[in-house]
Amino acid sequence: MEAAAEGPFSSLVSVLETYRGRDRVVRTLCYGCQLAGGALTRKGSTGSALGHSLLALSAQFSHCRTVLRLFDDLAMLTYSRQYGLGSKEEDAAVRWISVLNNIADQLYYPCEHVAWAADAEIIHANSSKWWALSTALWGVSLLLGIARSLRILSQLRRKLKTQSSAASHSSLKKLKTKAKTEVLTIISNLADLSNAIHWLPPGLLWAGMLSPWLVGLMGTVSSLIGVYLSCAGDSSGMI
């Protein structure tokens, strides 16, 4: 029984020892606290104090992630350079959507850094404009990610129809797993996109109109999907 308990614990330690793993955990906790805190503050005075504490904790988790992303530029640049113009991609649409996605991601980081530095009074700048720009770039990246997944999903469905009779069971299972991954990625990106639009300046769609618990719900859904896909990738080597 002790050995069984050590398994999940050692797995959690292994996750927390990596930057990406720790970020996924902190992200999930951030949105989970916002979901719970927002729900409690809606109930009135009975859970108001605890709700505000959870919202404050969520804000600290978010700030922690913002600071840690100060070191993501080089990793993103390295990935973008390795991908290049996507010469290894079979489909031209997927290739150019991915290139544009990389550009949006690369521009996102310095914009967020400037916004953070302005808020911290390290530089003199209008932080709200830089936050809006970084959020818009995040939204563009999410839209491109959705378009890429939809394109890949359509290709996978076409392959499933053409190979359903001749393909082996293992190859069909692999295609279905890839399709499932793309569907989950689309759901995750849509959840994040709803929050990205909420954080844009008022006047655009539902910007500024979502309640804290709904923002927390969308972020929690996205985070849990990310954790699931990460675990599935670790076990299957496909993601």
Side-chain angles (χ1 to χ4, degrees):
M1 197 165 178
E2 184 178 345
E6 285 182 0
F9 180 77
S10 60
S11 298
L12 177 61
V13 171
S14 298
V15 168
L16 292 175
E17 282 180 341
T18 65
Y19 170 72
R20 295 301 171 193
R22 189 183 299 119
D23 182 66
R24 290 189 187 98
V25 172
V26 174
R27 188 185 201 271
T28 305
L29 289 172
C30 172
Y31 284 115
C33 287
Q34 187 165 5
L35 171 58
L40 286 172
T41 52
R42 289 185 71 201
K43 292 183 177 180
S45 58
T46 53
S48 182
L50 177 58
H52 285 297
S53 295
L54 288 172
L55 289 175
L57 181 59
S58 173
Q60 291 302 312
F61 280 136
S62 178
H63 181 70
C64 170
R65 295 186 68 231
T66 300
V67 173
L68 290 174
R69 280 196 296 270
L70 291 171
F71 306 97
D72 280 357
D73 299 73
L74 289 178
M76 184 66 222
L77 181 61
T78 300
Y79 173 79
S80 297
R81 289 183 63 185
Q82 289 175 347
Y83 188 85
L85 295 178
S87 56
K88 295 181 180 180
E89 295 284 359
E90 296 179 1
D91 184 67
V94 171
R95 178 166 62 249
W96 288 110
I97 290 172
S98 299
V99 170
L100 292 174
N101 200 340
N102 290 342
I103 292 173
D105 287 342
Q106 193 69 63
L107 293 174
Y108 164 83
Y109 290 108
C111 292
E112 186 189 54
H113 301 340
V114 173
W116 167 82
D119 277 347
E121 298 183 352
I122 297 172
I123 62 173
H124 296 289
N126 186 342
S127 66
S128 60
K129 290 183 178 180
W130 287 100
W131 282 121
L133 181 56
S134 65
T135 303
L137 286 167
W138 181 38
V140 169
S141 174
L142 291 168
L143 285 171
L144 290 169
I146 292 168
R148 182 179 186 275
S149 291
L150 287 171
R151 176 65 178 178
I152 294 174
L153 193 59
S154 68
Q155 292 177 321
L156 290 172
R157 286 178 174 173
R158 198 177 301 119
K159 287 182 180 179
L160 282 169
K161 288 181 179 179
T162 56
Q163 298 182 12
S164 57
S165 57
S168 64
H169 176 73
S170 59
S171 61
L172 285 175
K173 185 178 179 181
K174 188 176 181 180
L175 288 174
K176 289 179 180 179
T177 300
K178 288 182 178 180
K180 179 183 176 182
T181 297
E182 296 304 329
V183 170
L184 289 173
T185 300
I186 291 169
I187 295 172
S188 176
N189 285 345
L190 285 172
D192 281 335
L193 183 61
S194 69
N195 283 345
I197 293 173
H198 166 71
W199 285 318
L200 288 172
L204 180 63
L205 298 176
W206 56 85
M209 297 173 63
L210 299 186
S211 57
W213 75 267
L214 186 54
V215 172
L217 176 62
M218 293 295 102
T220 301
V221 168
S222 171
S223 298
L224 291 177
I225 290 175
V227 170
Y228 170 78
L229 291 178
S230 176
C231 292
D234 290 339
S235 61
S236 67
M238 289 181 59
I239 302 171

